[in-house]
């Protein structure tokens, strides 16, 4: 047996960075460590006067690389005799996004200069910063009027969370930062560049994933949005276009090789390849084994749903998808991204904000136990899972949650189950949308905290969708996907893999425990889904007309049936 | 000043009977007492095998009269030097209903015979008994086909709670009781009869209120429903018709005079008049001062809404009203009854079943405090108050509660306020329905526990309806109304009043504290009511078609506006 080789994955999250050392041959995770960002509130710079503001300090990232990698290597040494740091053959990086930051001509973040240390606008604009909501509306309106093709690939609405909105807002509100910023880079661009000493903004290898999903980059229209379009928003934005990029790269590409300085700091071999970065969800999908027909759901506070489609095959624009970007997930495939605005957040809201069930009955565990004892339809409840708007397929933040079927006997655990079911109906709506546009979903692999920890949620997802729910083997699929990018960057001859397909075959897998749909329950859920869909279309679309008089009655009839029909209703 | 005279009111409730001694001159309540029924579960005979069953033991009533009157007289003696039992000049009775019971040829309840003591079917079938739901559906169907006029006066649906449904169910399920029952009487018929020794079922003075609202009695079609109609339901029901009644009486009529035996038991003068009985809500409305244009809301776990209309003036059938009966409230007036299936019950459900807010924040008091701090529309929530169906104007038990506008930040006190507002919208819907059919509501007098105890609810009702909310002076308007019937039965020459109008002028009033609508809030509530009405019609009626896409958006826009527009939404 050949000497083992390892790949290193760096996963830059919202509150911390994780380092993961993975065995290239089999995906064994031999060492991992987390470094929580020291700045601000759990790593996030906030503004008491503006709840929309959320920034991150790039100095935290740099410190975090050293600390997390050091700890991960130490853990690996402890766990595996075979492991040695010089057997690490490649590094990959995934990050949050869109998380852009202003840099100078050399690619150094303005935030690292003393004069800008205290200015949040000079730091990284974290994905969940919403200060640029007005600019986002402006960009959407202009694109709708002049370049609807820009919007077609990103779900029809340009978000306040994205690249151009944030830069435009900065240009308009902070002249100092605006004029000091030679260029702007995504966190996913910056980390590989800094590790490989390739930070020149004009030649830095930019992430296809970040550019395509957040900056409306598409080769079909010559890369970034047209200069006149950007200039119409703001002359300075038009001018900035020339200081950004014309080419982007998928994560099998090598951003560069590890500098001596970083090699020394980290205790790694200098010269090992570092892959071009990508977003966490996309590399998380890779680490979960995404492939044609194989749909990955990252189920946490919200969901990110990812699948791929051969770039060589025709695909129409799919209305309501968050993004369709060539190579954002796997090279040679269109990366298709969808998502639900809130999943775990809804369950957390019920437990934490409503605090149902009194002192002892209102925990997730207790409510899950109570909910598990119920049959589909037995509660007579139906929920629309729009407590944080609807990302896919309606792409509308101005939607809200709805509960119907309440009676004087409705219990908290019934509502809890109805909330879970609603997120499952939301998931089914997304899966069906893919199918309607010719992208069949044959297999679902779940990852993320809820997928691992809540079997009831997984079983309900199986029963609602009629698809077997599998769970990714790794508990840290994003970092694993990043490590796989590092392995692919090394290529076979460098101790890695030549392609992502090979890396996936070797390094990913699903857990033994899967969740198979129950036919009888699935049939009941299809009835309920019909009612969900009626409400979904009535409240969520402009063209629906019809009558909803049947909804409460159908729910009560189903309730009577599912309770065995022994209880009688008043009349 | 003339020597004071007093009237005695007996109020037979679900769990207890109340006696009230009232000064005929001014309505002063000089003595009161409650006797909780000893039988069953708080006075209700239940069946572990059938949640629909609810019966009452007539022996509890008889014992209760002695005890409650004895205690009330003692209290009156203690409170007032002027009071003497022989200054009581008349007795009135109000009861729950429809609460029919089988009696023998002499009018003695079968339940009082040893052989029937243990048979619940021989006892009084309490208003909330729903064992006869199938029979109710059958009666409704037959009436709709052959005598739609029967249904037009009782809201379009004959209820399982009512007279014929219960008797028909008994005929079909208990041959022994069915054949032993010479006749059936309402509690409201029975009590005055027993006090006056006039229990012969064929001559007993039956309550117009009970007959008209529950037994489809109407002089327009010759009293009770036609014999062929009843016989088609069951031959024995047709035969029973001849052993019931042809005439009915309003509560200014004298049922008879107090027997020597009862006078001795109660320590009252024999021979004083006892008024014909009526239902609690109707005499409660009298005790609250109901009159033309003066609408009385009895606000408790549910509401009963009562107003009157001169019998001499034309009135079309008003769709969705629970009942329209000549003389059921005041002689010479049509009594119009409406109601909401759940009001306080909804608030209680949220506090007791959902148990929101954790250990200390989930009480009615705490939630009311939190809700009081909110402006209309500020929560973005809207509720349909159909947790127990909808009695008026939809007359549909197969409807359920709905909440829309939920977000990840929705708080329990926001839901609590939205629940209160929803019941106010339900009240406005009823008030508007009266107006649409030519019965203007100019004044609202509230009574019942919630009206007295929750100023926030009253203020919201004022702000939603745009009408000043007054609260009846008496805390026991039903018993007061009963006492007023006793005073009217005595007539002026007997120390009472000649008419209810005179009795009301002398004996009723409203409290100083009233709730005036705030114009600005009323304007916001009218906007919200437009949305409530859209949902009401969409889910509650068959003929509505339209689009609800605007609902969530309008709620969010109103929310933004009511919060001052400073908070920004994601986009």
């Amino acid at each position: 047996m050949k000497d083992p080789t390892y790949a290193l994955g760096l996963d830059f999250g919202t509150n911390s960075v994780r380092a993961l050392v993975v065995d290239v041959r089999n995906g064994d995770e031999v060492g991992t460590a987390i470094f929580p960002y020291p700045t601000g509130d759990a790593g996030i710079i906030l503004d008491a006067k503006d709840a929309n503001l959320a920034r991150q300090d790039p100095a935290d990232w740099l410190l975090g690389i050293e600390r997390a990698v050091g700890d991960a290597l130490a853990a690996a040494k402890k766990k595996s005799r075979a492991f040695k740091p010089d057997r690490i053959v490649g590094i990959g990086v995934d990050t949050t996004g869109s998380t852009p930051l202003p840099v100078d001509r050399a690619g150094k973040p303005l935030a690292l200069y003393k004069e800008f240390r205290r200015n949040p606008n000079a730091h990284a604009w974290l994905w969940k910063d919403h200060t640029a909501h007005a600019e986002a509306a402006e960009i959407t309106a202009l694109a709708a009027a002049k370049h609807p093709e820009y919007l077609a690939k990103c779900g029809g609405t340009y978000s306040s969370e994205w690249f151009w909105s944030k830069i435009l807002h900065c240009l308009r509100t902070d002249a100092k930062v605006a004029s000091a910023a030679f260029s702007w880079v995504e966190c996913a661009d910056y980390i590989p560049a800094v590790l490989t000493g390739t930070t020149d903004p004009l030649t830095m290898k930019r992430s296809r994933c970040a550019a395509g999903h957040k900056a409306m980059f598409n080769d079909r229209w010559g890369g970034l949005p047209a200069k006149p379009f950007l200039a119409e928003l703001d002359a300075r934005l038009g001018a900035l276009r020339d200081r950004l990029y014309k080419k982007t790269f998928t994560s099998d590409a090598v951003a560069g090789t590890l500098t001596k300085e970083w090699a020394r700091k980290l205790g790694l071999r200098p010269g090992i390849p570092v892959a071009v970065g990508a977003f966490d969800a996309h590399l998380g999908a890779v680490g979960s084994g995404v492939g044609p027909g194989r749909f990955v759901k990252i189920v946490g506070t919200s969901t990110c749903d990812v699948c791929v489609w051969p770039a060589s095959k025709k695909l129409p624009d799919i209305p309501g998808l968050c993004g369709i970007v060539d190579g954002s997930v796997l090279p040679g495939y269109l990366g298709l991204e969808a998502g639900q605005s809130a999943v775990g957040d809804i369950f957390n809201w019920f437990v934490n904000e409503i605090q149902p069930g009194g002192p002892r009955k209102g925990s997730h565990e207790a409510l899950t136990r109570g909910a598990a004892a119920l049959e589909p339809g037995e509660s007579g409840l139906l929920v629309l899972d729009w407590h944080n708007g609807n990302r896919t397929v309606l792409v509308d933040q101005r939607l809200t949650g709805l509960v119907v079927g309440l009676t004087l006997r409705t219990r908290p655990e019934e509502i809890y189950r109805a909330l879970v079911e609603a997120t499952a109906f939301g998931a089914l709506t997304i899966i069906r949308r893919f199918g309607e546009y010719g992208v069949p979903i044959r297999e679902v692999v779940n990852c993320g905290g809820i997928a691992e920890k809540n079997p009831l949620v997984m079983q309900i997802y199986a029963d609602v969708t009629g698809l077997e729910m599998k769970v990714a083997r790794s508990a840290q699929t994003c970092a694993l996907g990043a490590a796989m990018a590092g392995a692919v960057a090394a290529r076979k001859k460098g101790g890695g893999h030549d392609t992502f397909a090979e890396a996936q075959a070797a390094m990913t897998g699903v857990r033994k425990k899967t969740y198979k749909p129950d036919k009888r329950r699935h049939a009941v859920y299809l009835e309920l889904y019909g009612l969900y869909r009626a409400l979904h279309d009535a409240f969520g679309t402009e063209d629906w007309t019809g009558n909803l008089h049947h909804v409460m009655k159908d729910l009560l009839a189903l309730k009577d049936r599912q309770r065995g029909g022994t209880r009688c209703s008043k009349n």
Side-chain angles (χ1 to χ4, degrees), chain A:
Chain A
M1 190 175 160
K2 231 174 67 174
D3 272 351
T5 54
Y6 301 88
L8 175 65
L10 295 176
D11 167 37
F12 291 82
T14 301
N15 310 106
S16 62
V17 55
R18 173 190 292 276
L20 178 69
V21 179
V22 187
D23 190 321
V24 165
R25 298 168 304 176
N26 52 25
D28 276 0
E29 299 174 2
V30 297
T32 188
I34 285 179
F35 175 76
Y37 300 138
T39 301
D41 183 3
I44 308 174
I45 299 165
L46 301 173
D47 181 348
K49 286 185 219 130
D50 185 355
N52 287 316
L53 188 143
R55 306 288 157 83
Q56 219 165 42
D57 186 345
D60 283 0
W61 302 339
L62 301 178
L63 179 63
I65 298 173
E66 278 190 68
R67 296 286 183 84
V69 171
D71 290 350
L73 297 182
K77 283 179 204 163
K78 215 168 161 181
K79 186 172 172 189
S80 162
R81 289 195 171 197
F83 174 75
K84 285 175 195 161
D86 62 5
R87 286 184 177 162
I88 288 181
V89 298
I91 301 175
V93 174
D94 74 88
T95 73
T96 67
S98 176
T99 302
L101 62 159
V103 295
D104 67 7
R105 179 63 192 85
K108 181 172 172 177
L110 299 188
L112 302 184
Y113 288 94
K114 198 174 169 189
E115 65 205 273
F116 286 115
R117 283 302 291 152
R118 289 174 180 279
N119 183 343
N121 298 328
H123 286 255
W125 295 47
L126 189 60
W127 65 276
K128 62 171 166 173
D129 184 288
H130 292 107
T131 49
H133 53 87
E135 288 78 7
E138 197 181 330
I139 295 171
T140 299
L142 188 65
K146 304 228 166 151
H147 290 282
E149 71 276 17
Y150 293 175
L151 298 177
K153 301 294 175 189
C154 64
T157 306
Y158 195 78
S159 166
S160 64
E161 294 188 0
W162 296 352
F163 193 71
W164 298 112
S165 303
K166 285 168 169 169
I167 297 174
L168 187 54
H169 187 70
C170 183
L171 290 177
R172 289 185 177 162
T173 55
D174 194 327
K176 229 172 150 184
V177 169
S179 67
F182 173 79
S183 187
W184 287 72
V185 300
E186 283 278 353
C187 176
D189 300 331
Y190 175 70
I191 301 293
V194 83
L195 289 174
T196 58
T198 60
T199 56
D200 181 331
L202 297 181
T203 55
M204 178 190 289
K205 287 196 177 163
R206 308 279 192 146
S207 161
R208 166 74 56 81
C209 179
H213 282 292
K214 308 301 181 188
M216 302 194 285
F217 181 96
N218 196 311
D219 283 332
R220 214 189 271 187
W221 51 78
L224 291 173
K227 196 163 178 174
F229 173 78
L230 296 175
E232 189 167 341
L233 291 164
D234 194 297
R236 292 166 294 176
L237 205 61
L240 175 66
R241 188 181 189 275
D242 296 330
R243 306 194 305 274
L244 290 166
Y245 49 88
K246 294 193 171 62
K247 273 191 77 175
T248 57
F249 297 86
T250 54
S251 289
D252 56 337
V254 177
T257 56
L258 194 65
T259 64
K260 281 187 187 162
E261 192 194 344
W262 274 104
R264 187 181 45 74
K265 276 194 212 172
L266 303 179
L268 297 175
R269 272 199 288 129
I272 58 172
V274 179
V276 167
F279 287 150
D280 39 18
H282 300 74
L283 282 175
V286 172
S288 300
V290 72
R294 202 164 203 229
F295 187 71
V296 170
K297 285 185 73 65
I298 305 175
V299 190
T301 52
S302 60
T303 72
C304 192
D305 304 328
V306 176
C307 70
V308 297
W309 183 254
S312 56
K313 283 172 79 174
K314 261 201 166 173
L315 182 76
D317 290 335
I318 304 180
L321 251 64
C322 302
I324 303 180
V325 174
D326 186 0
S328 68
V329 178
L330 292 174
Y333 291 90
L334 299 175
L336 312 181
E337 190 191 336
Q340 294 173 257
S341 309
V343 174
D345 270 349
I346 295 179
F347 316 151
N348 287 336
W349 159 76
F350 190 58
V351 167
N352 299 329
E353 295 294 322
I354 304 307
Q355 298 175 39
R360 270 181 306 180
K361 293 178 190 162
S363 67
H364 283 292
E365 293 71 24
L367 289 167
T368 297
R369 266 198 307 280
L374 299 167
E375 283 298 315
E378 189 185 335
S379 70
L381 294 174
L382 185 61
V383 170
L384 286 178
D385 52 322
W386 301 345
H387 296 60
N388 193 25
N390 179 290
R391 197 183 288 162
T392 310
V393 300
L394 297 171
V395 199
D396 190 346
Q397 277 289 343
R398 304 286 282 178
L399 295 173
T400 53
L402 179 147
V403 183
V404 62
L406 295 164
T407 77
L408 296 174
R409 295 183 180 186
T410 298
R411 303 273 310 136
E413 62 270 23
E414 293 177 323
I415 298 176
Y416 193 78
R417 183 174 177 114
L419 294 172
V420 172
E421 290 169 343
T423 66
F425 293 140
L428 179 56
T429 304
I430 292 172
I431 289 171
R432 288 198 167 190
R433 176 57 55 99
F434 278 107
E436 285 155 15
Y437 285 81
V439 181
I441 306 297
R442 282 181 294 264
E443 210 182 340
V444 180
V445 179
N446 297 273
C447 61
I450 287 179
E452 289 165 31
K453 288 175 204 155
N454 198 318
L456 176 67
V457 172
M458 284 294 99
Q459 187 60 53
I460 287 174
Y461 278 36
D463 292 341
V464 165
T465 61
L467 292 167
E468 185 175 356
M469 291 290 132
K470 300 175 181 177
V471 179
R473 191 176 58 202
S474 173
Q476 40 223 359
T477 51
C478 299
L480 173 60
M484 288 162 65
V488 172
R491 302 291 186 274
K492 198 161 195 172
K493 64 177 185 210
H497 296 287
D498 278 341
T499 64
F500 273 108
E502 287 167 31
Q504 284 187 317
M507 298 171 74
T508 67
V510 296
R511 300 182 185 199
K512 263 189 194 163
K513 168 77 185 162
T514 68
Y515 302 86
K516 292 191 179 63
D518 175 283
K519 270 189 187 172
R520 202 177 44 76
R521 288 188 179 140
H522 180 53
V524 176
Y525 276 133
L526 287 186
E527 278 186 67
L528 274 171
Y529 183 69
L531 298 174
Y532 175 90
R533 202 56 208 241
L535 296 180
H536 177 282
D537 293 353
F539 285 92
T541 68
E542 274 174 287
D543 50 347
W544 188 89
T545 56
N547 183 273
L548 295 171
H549 184 245
H550 64 99
V551 172
M552 292 174 179
K553 283 151 208 314
D554 288 354
L555 286 171
L556 287 173
L558 184 57
K559 176 178 176 172
D560 289 347
R561 222 174 69 212
Q562 289 298 85
R563 293 192 167 188
T566 53
R567 298 180 214 189
C568 296
S569 64
K570 295 184 183 187
N571 67 348

